């Protein structure tokens, strides 16, 4: 992994943590996510004439990814509706790299060097420490919320592999990125219209600033990740991206004044060591 890709993915992780915080723009979490995805689609649609049409070979991946992203939004919103953001986010993001690594090995036969494997393991361990700093005593989620958060991570791993493969097959990663976000935005826009037929327009007008900002951050954060996966091992990029959990925790300490415990400090150290391992790998 080159230094440019490494730093770009870390930047994407910061953006990802930031747009997730904006999901709370509405008391209805699914509506909040839908507005953000919709505006990301509006941004992408404006650039479609510039990037041209996607290749025929990338179309199945675009369709599959749109389905997987929709499932991700449904279960993520379900998790946020009944669980704390500080615990749902690490669980939803933390399981994904492990699932991605297993699927990448089984499906794409993508093998990592020893230092990279160590780095991936440390980042996952650090995320688990953030989510459960005191073991079972840390669990504040009911069973349905926990299952929804884990299911979210499965969708994350699947759409990551789908987009990684699709961007590699596409002649131009940018074309794939713009069409993916445009399709996702159209799909979520239609779902939002039928689900909130009487209030969708009012909600968009009320939250358009937050929605546009969140959509822009989502477009940039995952767009960078897709571009990176077209040039570097998918597992490394996907795992490094999940350092967003670390940035989300740091933001909660600085902005929300949440306590910074010894276990959180240990988690930070473990994740940083994992990041170093992925770079050396």
């Amino acid at each position: 992994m080159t230094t440019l890709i490494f730093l770009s993915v870390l930047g994407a992780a910061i953006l990802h943590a930031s747009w997730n915080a904006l999901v709370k723009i509405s008391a209805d979490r699914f509506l909040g996510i839908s507005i953000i995805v919709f505006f990301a689609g509006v941004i992408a649609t404006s650039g479609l004439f510039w990037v041209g049409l996607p290749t025929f070979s990338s179309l199945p991946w675009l369709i599959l990814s749109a389905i997987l992203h929709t499932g991700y939004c449904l279960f993520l919103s379900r998790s946020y509706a009944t669980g704390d953001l500080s615990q749902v986010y690490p669980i939803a993001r933390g399981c994904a790299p492990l699932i991605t690594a297993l699927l990448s090995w089984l499906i794409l036969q993508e093998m990592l060097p020893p230092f990279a494997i160590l780095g991936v393991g440390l980042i996952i361990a650090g995320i688990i420490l953030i989510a459960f700093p005191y073991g079972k005593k840390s669990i504040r989620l009911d069973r349905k919320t926990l299952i929804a958060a884990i299911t979210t991570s499965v969708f994350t791993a699947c759409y990551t592999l789908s987009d990684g493969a699709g961007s590699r097959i596409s002649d131009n990663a940018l074309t794939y990125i713009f069409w993916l976000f445009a399709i996702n935005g159209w799909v979520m826009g239609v779902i939002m219209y039928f689900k909130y037929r009487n209030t969708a327009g009012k909600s968009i007008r009320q939250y358009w600033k937050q929605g546009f900002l969140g959509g822009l951050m989502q477009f940039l954060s995952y767009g960078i990740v897709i571009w990176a996966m077209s040039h570097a091992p998918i597992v490394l990029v996907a795992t490094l991206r999940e350092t967003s959990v670390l940035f989300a925790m740091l933001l909660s300490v600085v902005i929300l004044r949440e306590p910074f415990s010894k276990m959180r400090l240990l988690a930070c150290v473990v994740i940083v060591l994992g990041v170093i391992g992925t770079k050396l790998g």
Side-chain angles (χ1 to χ4, degrees):
M1 181 182 293
T2 66
T3 301
L4 175 61
I5 293 176
F6 178 79
L7 294 177
S8 296
V9 176
L10 286 180
I14 297 174
L15 290 171
H16 189 276
S18 300
W19 81 253
N20 264 258
L22 286 176
V23 168
K24 289 191 174 183
I25 61 177
S26 170
D28 187 327
R29 300 295 184 263
F30 183 73
L31 177 61
I33 293 175
S34 297
I35 292 175
I36 288 174
V37 175
F38 171 74
F39 274 101
V42 171
I43 294 169
T45 300
S46 66
L48 291 183
F49 292 103
W50 175 56
V51 298
L53 294 173
T55 59
F56 183 78
S57 59
S58 67
L59 288 178
W61 297 105
L62 284 170
I63 295 171
L64 174 61
S65 187
I67 296 172
L68 293 172
H69 277 277
T70 302
Y72 162 79
C73 290
L74 288 170
F75 281 94
L76 181 63
S77 61
R78 169 64 181 83
S79 303
Y80 283 160
T82 54
D84 294 338
L85 180 66
S86 60
Q87 194 161 52
V88 167
Y89 188 76
I91 295 172
R93 307 309 306 181
C95 298
L98 180 58
I99 300 172
T100 303
L102 292 174
L103 292 178
S104 183
W105 175 61
L106 290 172
I107 299 174
L108 303 178
Q109 287 80 50
E110 200 169 72
M111 300 296 294
L112 299 177
F115 265 115
I117 294 175
L118 176 62
V120 169
L122 287 173
I123 290 175
I124 294 173
I127 293 172
I128 292 174
L129 281 175
I130 290 177
F132 307 109
Y134 305 109
K136 291 184 178 180
K137 295 180 180 179
S138 304
I139 300 178
R140 303 185 302 275
L141 307 176
D142 59 60
R143 184 177 180 182
K144 289 184 178 180
T145 305
L146 183 61
I147 292 174
I150 294 174
T151 304
T152 300
S153 70
V154 174
F155 275 103
T156 300
C158 291
Y159 77 60
T160 298
L161 282 176
S162 176
D163 292 331
S167 64
R168 291 179 179 182
I169 290 176
S170 179
D171 291 338
N172 188 335
L174 276 179
T175 302
Y176 184 90
I177 292 167
F178 274 83
W179 277 96
L180 172 66
F181 275 97
I183 293 172
N184 285 342
W186 300 337
V187 170
M188 291 305 294
V190 171
I191 293 175
M192 182 170 57
Y193 172 77
F194 283 105
K195 185 175 176 60
Y196 306 99
R197 185 185 299 269
N198 298 324
T199 59
K202 180 181 177 181
S203 297
I204 290 175
R205 289 192 298 271
Q206 182 178 357
Y207 299 115
W208 74 268
K209 291 182 180 179
Q210 298 97 318
F212 180 81
L213 178 60
L216 180 61
M217 288 193 293
Q218 185 189 68
F219 177 79
L220 291 174
S221 65
Y222 194 52
I224 290 171
V225 168
I226 295 175
W227 165 77
M229 289 191 297
S230 67
H231 294 85
I234 294 174
V235 177
L236 284 186
V237 175
T239 305
L240 189 59
R241 178 198 184 198
E242 304 313 341
T243 55
S244 59
V245 174
L246 170 62
F247 296 121
M249 185 196 68
L250 294 176
L251 287 173
S252 70
V253 171
V254 174
I255 298 175
L256 302 178
R257 304 298 180 185
E258 294 183 1
F260 192 73
S261 64
K262 292 181 180 179
M263 290 302 294
R264 281 190 161 190
L265 176 60
L266 176 61
C268 289
V269 172
V270 172
I271 290 176
V272 169
L273 290 175
V275 170
I276 294 173
T278 58
K279 182 64 178 75
L280 293 176

